[in-house]
Amino acid sequence: HYSGLEEAVYRNIQACKELAQTTRTAYGPNGMNKMVINHLEKLFVTNDAATILRELEVQHPAAKMLVMASHMQEQEVGDGTNFVLVFAGVLLELAEDLLRMGLSVSEASYIVIEGYEKACKKALEILPDLVCCSAKNLLDVEEVASLLHTSVMSKQYGNEQFLAKLIAQACVSILPDSGHFNVDNIRVCKIVGAGISASSVLHGMVFKKETEGDVTSVKDAKIAVYSCPFDGMITETKGTVLIKNAEELMNFSKGEENLMDLQVKAIADSGANVVVTGGKVADMALHYANKYNLMLVRLNSKWDLRRLCKTVGATALPRLTPPTLEEMGHCDSVYLSEVGDTQVVVFKHEKEDGAISTILIRGSTDNLMDDIERAVDDGVNTFKVLTRDKRLVPGGGATEIELAKQITSYGETCPGLDQYAIKKFAEALEAIPRALAENSGVKANEVISKLYAVHQEGNKNVGFDIEAEAAAVKDMLEAGVLDTYLGKSWGIKLATNAAITVLRVDQIIMAKPAGGPKPPSGKKDWDEDQND
């Protein structure tokens, strides 16, 4: 029987292990999909750990630590969330073995924590030596596509060649000279129909909207953007107009029409030939827009309006005033097109150095397109990481096995009890190739022993071959299976920190309302006079 404190520690570890086990079967290209139904009863079919955790409402406070670590990885690197979860889960699983060895829980926890911290520090020292290559030219679409293969493959196995090429084209076309790449500048537009192979990249923006007026295509567009409705001005206070006869009624409506006519004419005279509005379009305003050959597009989302302003270089005006040349946006063409049976408005730049690119995703179902969008997001984030640090390490479990081998040797040299924790840390790193092998239907122990045998001979870049029928290994650098250096170092750091934080907790104290009788609710209408 354990004391209350020991029981709390083991319960925390158990909760984290169960969470890690959920996503472990989704790890790697052959990982199984999860069907998640969130609190709004929306269905997600995906093997993306970030999405699974976002939609699961994890209640256990210790398991939430792991979720927070994986969210940090998502924010910092944008990929590798499952690595953090699996690794942290196995670290805690192996820590449990050490805690059961006979020492008191507080002593054992201290030893394990110290050992894990030393091992993590050592792993981050070894990692730079495992770098196998670096990205040479981030403006070369072919090279960038080959570097994005691995991150896209884990989400869309089989379509990675095609999708990596699309993502590379989109990213390279908007990479500024300064090298500061913003992931928000790659937009995704999903349209049901056709298949993945019909997806394409457009330089500019695509909206699932129809134009409001008769004009559906404009070349060399000069764009006026308004954040207000395209309508006549309304007075701020209400007024009453007394109309005595039909002539006065005619004159009143005539005055309103003339005012609207003058406003739209002034916009047309300023040189603008496309008007984008963030509010409703009045019938009368639409009539005059058609009269002066203005193309009219309505965008309900203020975010879309802001992104469009950024794309075309326009300033959103709060009132229907004629735009100056500085306030107007420019793009090569604006046109209404039909993709499948969906009407889309395209703001297109012919040159490839625009501010925003859109990846148009086609697919047979919404769930499939959502999954492709997540793969695209991972690819774009990987490109961003490469703009910060071009170093790459071998994938397929090669880096983890090499780290495990060297950390085990380091553990042998440590004299204290923490050597056991250091060796367990090395053993935990085996969980990554083990998960890849298990999800590919291959005997994991056979793969691990083969990898160790090859790495003992000095072949640092050899990892698990997921495409082979049996337990086989191959050179990951030659196969083009590469992970980003930053993604790996952050993953190891965050997973270790999460595991250590959970191990430091021996009690969970939750604040709840105190018991006892409820306060009196008071009589209704107590302040009314009873003697009416």
Side-chain angles (χ1 to χ4, degrees):
H1 290 286
Y2 303 115
S3 68
L5 293 185
E6 289 179 350
E7 194 61 50
V9 172
Y10 292 131
R11 272 207 302 268
N12 289 351
I13 291 174
Q14 189 58 37
C16 296
K17 272 162 57 181
E18 284 173 14
L19 180 66
Q21 193 54 45
T22 307
T23 56
R24 186 173 176 172
T25 52
Y27 192 82
N30 291 331
M32 300 295 284
N33 280 349
K34 307 289 176 192
M35 199 176 272
V36 183
I37 299 164
N38 69 0
H39 63 291
L40 299 171
E41 297 198 358
K42 188 178 177 197
L43 176 73
F44 295 84
V45 181
T46 180
N47 65 351
D48 179 32
T51 308
I52 295 167
L53 291 181
R54 194 167 50 244
E55 300 309 328
L56 281 178
E57 291 192 4
V58 178
Q59 294 295 328
H60 197 284
K64 273 187 181 172
M65 293 288 181
L66 262 62
V67 176
M68 284 158 67
S70 107
H71 281 329
M72 276 303 300
Q73 175 79 356
E74 175 74 9
Q75 286 167 11
E76 197 63 45
V77 183
D79 197 8
T81 46
N82 209 344
F83 172 81
V84 172
L85 265 178
V86 172
F87 187 41
V90 177
L91 281 175
L92 288 167
E93 197 175 322
L94 296 173
E96 189 178 7
D97 298 344
L98 292 171
L99 296 181
R100 291 184 192 278
M101 275 169 54
L103 291 168
S104 71
V105 166
S106 54
E107 270 184 298
S109 290
Y110 174 72
I111 291 164
V112 172
I113 288 165
E114 198 179 354
Y116 278 2
E117 281 176 340
K118 278 186 183 175
C120 178
K121 191 178 173 190
K122 185 69 179 170
L124 295 174
E125 282 173 21
I126 298 167
L127 202 57
D129 300 334
L130 305 186
V131 171
C132 59
C133 65
S134 292
K136 294 179 184 68
N137 178 13
L138 290 180
L139 293 172
D140 178 3
V141 174
E142 292 298 328
E143 186 188 342
V144 171
S146 68
L147 301 178
L148 301 182
H149 269 181
T150 314
S151 66
V152 178
M153 192 194 284
S154 61
K155 304 286 178 296
Q156 283 291 320
Y157 187 37
N159 300 319
E160 70 275 1
Q161 299 267 2
F162 176 71
L163 286 174
K165 188 89 179 282
L166 279 189
I167 299 164
Q169 284 171 358
C171 293
V172 169
S173 69
I174 63 157
L175 180 63
D177 296 333
S178 63
H180 294 301
F181 179 78
N182 185 357
V183 290
D184 280 345
N185 292 347
I186 303 284
R187 308 304 311 153
V188 172
C189 183
K190 297 174 288 189
I191 297 174
V192 176
I196 296 176
S197 55
S199 304
S200 57
V201 174
L202 276 165
H203 305 293
M205 290 198 79
V206 179
F207 298 103
K208 282 201 271 186
K209 295 273 174 196
E210 290 187 37
T211 53
E212 298 289 328
D214 297 340
V215 184
T216 56
S217 176
V218 172
K219 289 263 193 258
D220 190 23
K222 295 178 178 60
I223 304 160
V225 181
Y226 295 100
S227 56
C228 60
F230 197 63
D231 197 353
M233 297 295 288
I234 300 166
T235 53
E236 287 185 12
T237 55
K238 286 187 177 176
T240 309
V241 179
L242 206 59
I243 292 171
K244 293 174 183 165
N245 53 41
E247 192 181 343
E248 285 181 5
L249 180 62
M250 290 291 286
N251 289 341
F252 177 74
S253 59
K254 195 76 141 204
E256 197 181 1
E257 284 172 23
N258 289 344
L259 192 64
M260 192 77 244
D261 189 359
L262 286 170
Q263 276 184 319
V264 178
K265 187 174 187 301
I267 292 169
D269 289 346
S270 70
N273 49 15
V274 178
V275 172
V276 179
T277 174
K280 65 182 177 59
V281 178
D283 291 342
M284 196 191 301
L286 183 59
H287 163 75
Y288 286 114
N290 289 336
K291 178 181 171 185
Y292 291 109
N293 262 350
L294 290 177
M295 183 176 182
L296 202 51
V297 180
R298 177 183 167 196
L299 297 177
N300 295 335
S301 161
K302 64 178 180 185
W303 303 109
D304 283 347
L305 210 63
R306 282 181 197 171
R307 286 195 188 100
L308 180 67
C309 287
K310 191 174 177 185
T311 310
V312 299
T315 306
L317 302 171
R319 291 171 55 226
L320 276 189
T321 51
T324 61
L325 278 173
E326 291 78 35
E327 290 166 337
M328 260 192 286
H330 300 271
C331 76
D332 294 314
S333 60
V334 180
Y335 57 91
L336 180 70
S337 180
E338 196 170 339
V339 180
D341 60 351
T342 308
Q343 300 281 342
V344 293
V345 176
V346 182
F347 290 80
K348 191 172 184 182
H349 289 280
E350 299 297 337
K351 296 192 293 299
E352 291 198 359
D353 54 356
I356 287 187
S357 266
T358 301
I359 297 177
L360 196 66
I361 293 176
R362 306 299 308 281
S364 50
T365 64
D366 286 328
N367 274 330
L368 176 67
M369 289 192 297
D370 288 345
D371 220 23
I372 296 168
E373 184 182 10
R374 287 188 274 272
V376 168
D377 283 347
D378 279 359
V380 172
N381 279 312
T382 302
F383 183 80
K384 180 173 183 178
V385 170
L386 288 172
T387 61
R388 285 161 52 194
D389 189 333
K390 295 183 177 182
R391 288 178 291 176
L392 294 145
V393 292
T399 304
E400 287 80 5
I401 288 290
E402 186 60 31
L403 282 172
K405 185 187 90 157
Q406 295 197 30
I407 289 170
T408 305
S409 307
Y410 168 65
E412 302 283 356
T413 64
C414 295
L417 277 174
D418 52 10
Q419 64 168 293
Y420 293 108
I422 293 170
K423 286 179 186 170
K424 287 290 184 191
F425 186 95
E427 192 184 325
L429 284 162
E430 293 174 12
I432 302 304
R434 194 177 288 278
L436 286 171
E438 285 169 1
N439 294 343
S440 303
V442 176
K443 286 179 184 165
N445 288 341
E446 206 178 318
V447 171
I448 301 289
S449 59
K450 279 191 178 178
L451 283 172
Y452 270 126
V454 176
H455 278 254
Q456 289 295 351
E457 293 166 10
N459 300 317
K460 290 181 183 177
N461 298 339
V462 173
F464 170 54
D465 181 5
I466 60 162
E467 288 168 350
E469 305 243 330
V473 295
K474 67 177 174 184
D475 191 306
M476 292 290 123
L477 180 57
E478 287 173 15
V481 179
L482 303 165
D483 285 330
T484 56
Y485 170 81
L486 271 186
K488 208 54 103 185
S489 66
W490 272 105
I492 292 169
K493 216 180 298 179
L494 290 168
T496 312
N497 286 350
I500 287 170
T501 309
V502 172
L503 289 170
R504 282 192 200 277
V505 174
D506 69 347
Q507 273 183 316
I508 295 174
I509 305 164
M510 293 183 79
K512 290 205 171 167
K518 287 189 170 63
S521 57
K523 292 175 185 169
K524 280 188 176 178
D525 310 326
W526 57 271
D527 59 340
E528 286 190 6
D529 195 350
Q530 299 297 320
N531 303 324
D532 285 351

